[in-house]
Amino acid sequence: MSVRAYRGPLLHFTAAPTSAGEGVEYFADGVLVVDDGRVRQVGPAAAVLAALPADCEVRHHPDHLIMPGFIDTHVHFPQIDVIASYGEQLLDWLNHYTFPAEQRFAEAQYAAAAAERFLDELLRNGTTTALTFCTVHPASVEAFFSASTRRGTRMLAGKVLMDRNAPDGLTDTAAGGIADSERLIEKWHNNGRQSYALTPRFAPTSTPAQLQKTGALLARHSDVYMQTHLSENSAEVQWVETLFPERTSYLDVYDHYGLLSERSVFAHGIHLRDRELRRLAETGASIAFCPTSNLFLGSGLLDLQRLQDFGVTFSLATDVGAGTSFSQLQTLNEAYKVAQLKGYPLHPYEAFYRLTLGNARSLHLDHCIGNFEAGKEADFVVLDPNATPLLAYRSRQCESPWEKLFLLMTLGDDRVVAETYVNGARVYERRQYR
Ligand code: GUN
Ligand code: ZN
């Protein structure tokens, strides 16, 4: 692929930002130079353009905003089939909507079509990397990673492990689930841009034997990820206490089986005790904050300040299909409101840092994605701050970049995403954008 340059307002983060703007790199007229799928350079247009060869193609987006692609740290690809299903809290929602829908993924063709639909939806929302649950069926993982490989996206995923408390069509066995996971790791982990995550659904749907084997497999693969759910809903927490009376807490179940490490991502973590937060911080395991899901299922309000006080890393995620939007902009919109109710000021710089470099760091992928440092993979979005009449009107009233970012995260959604690039190739272009 030849060298190509993208010119326009450009913003990325070089570090966790302060509200004074340290860690933010913004060019009102910037250029991103992409060479063979990687970032070669970023800087002010005047300087960068002068040094480019005369025949270098420059795509000019003077009215847009170029940013790194968004990262979603917790989502379920099969649940595109259940998003916006009415009226239940977690455990009923799983039984009435999610488990029936996930059974369809036994059929490879169904899974393949769903994987395409899901990746299309991510890319049209500007999400270029996601850590996703598949279903219990190995074919669902094959479908997902195959579709991701064809598109060149950097994705993380795993087969759900679930050997009890679920319908027959959705359960594996302790030994069978681990054998399948091991085969999938061999085939897909570090295969191009794909990474594998061991995926016990949550403590109630795995026997102690399955959790024990999952921990043992994880110990044999130090760079494989682990994803699961934790302390999302009060009835779920009580259920875990009755299923594992010998453990001191919900987190202690996972801890006991060796599932806590820096590569462990626990979705939700709303109802944790101090001792659990201390243990998360000690082990470097992170919480994926899923505000649209937490509000939709009535699960509760995550206290971000408390996580910060305990030194627990958190990332931002959609959790579709309990989450109600694929848009990480809409996720920020709801995150801001949850944070307001908890007295945590979620500044737009912090918000967009988390969608990009922050989420990359939480997944230990910041050596290759998350910002426009030279050499990183060129995953980026071209955003349209004037995508709707209201946005255009309000944008004209804003002076500073952070005010404009706040408009995007409050009023924006998929309509704002004009183009999405992965590895320097355009994979999505919104029709009829200005
Ligand atoms: N807990 C166990 N499984 C799920 C799931 O699919 N979605 C959510 N939000 N929570 C879960
Ligand atoms: Zn989830």
Side-chain angles (χ1 to χ4, degrees), residues 74 76 79 90 93-94 98-99 102 133 201-202 229 232 236 268 293 297 319 322:
H74 180 77
H76 298 252
Q79 293 182 16
L90 175 65
W93 176 86
L94 284 173
T98 308
F99 289 164
E102 291 193 6
F133 275 52
R201 178 171 218 117
F202 67 156
H229 297 91
E232 174 178 7
E236 169 212 12
H268 312 301
S293 165
L297 291 180
D319 192 28

Side-chain angles (χ1 to χ4, degrees), residues 142-257:
E142 296 286 349
F144 181 75
F145 279 139
S146 301
S148 173
T149 300
R150 280 194 295 277
R151 289 161 196 253
T153 41
R154 179 169 281 288
M155 292 286 159
L156 310 88
K159 179 203 113 67
V160 165
L161 292 159
M162 184 152 62
D163 66 345
R164 65 168 166 175
N165 292 324
D168 286 346
L170 273 192
T171 46
D172 53 15
T173 61
I178 293 302
D180 285 342
S181 301
E182 201 154 18
R183 269 195 296 276
L184 290 165
I185 289 170
E186 292 308 323
K187 179 164 178 190
W188 289 108
H189 188 55
N190 295 331
N191 180 342
R193 300 187 84 196
Q194 315 311 315
S195 301
Y196 197 83
L198 283 167
T199 308
R201 178 171 218 117
F202 67 156
T205 48
S206 286
T207 57
Q210 182 165 69
L211 293 174
Q212 187 270 326
K213 285 179 191 298
T214 305
L217 182 55
L218 200 57
R220 295 203 294 279
H221 294 275
S222 59
D223 66 339
V224 160
Y225 292 82
M226 198 291 302
Q227 58 176 343
T228 189
H229 297 91
L230 170 69
S231 280
E232 174 178 7
N233 166 286
S234 303
E236 169 212 12
V237 176
Q238 280 169 21
W239 193 21
V240 171
E241 282 167 8
T242 59
L243 288 169
F244 297 90
E246 69 288 5
R247 302 272 58 96
T248 58
S249 67
Y250 194 161
L251 185 74
D252 188 49
V253 175
Y254 297 132
D255 199 3
H256 178 76
Y257 294 109

Side-chain angles (χ1 to χ4, degrees), residues 117-129:
R117 197 173 306 122
F118 175 81
L119 287 165
D120 279 349
E121 202 56 38
L122 287 186
L123 295 171
R124 53 186 295 287
N125 280 281
T127 296
T128 48
T129 289

Side-chain angles (χ1 to χ4, degrees), residues 68-75 118-132 151 153-155 316-318 320 325-331 355-356 359 369 379-381 383 414 417 419-422 427-428:
F70 303 148
I71 299 168
D72 184 347
T73 60
H74 180 77
V75 61
F118 175 81
L119 287 165
D120 279 349
E121 202 56 38
L122 287 186
L123 295 171
R124 53 186 295 287
N125 280 281
T127 296
T128 48
T129 289
L131 170 57
T132 182
R151 289 161 196 253
T153 41
R154 179 169 281 288
M155 292 286 159
L316 269 159
T318 62
V320 164
S325 177
F326 276 90
S327 170
Q328 282 287 56
L329 300 174
Q330 275 305 294
T331 303
L355 290 197
T356 55
N359 275 4
I369 55 172
D379 292 352
F380 60 98
V381 286
L383 303 179
D414 55 323
V417 180
E419 299 182 9
T420 305
Y421 290 77
V422 299
V427 289
Y428 169 70

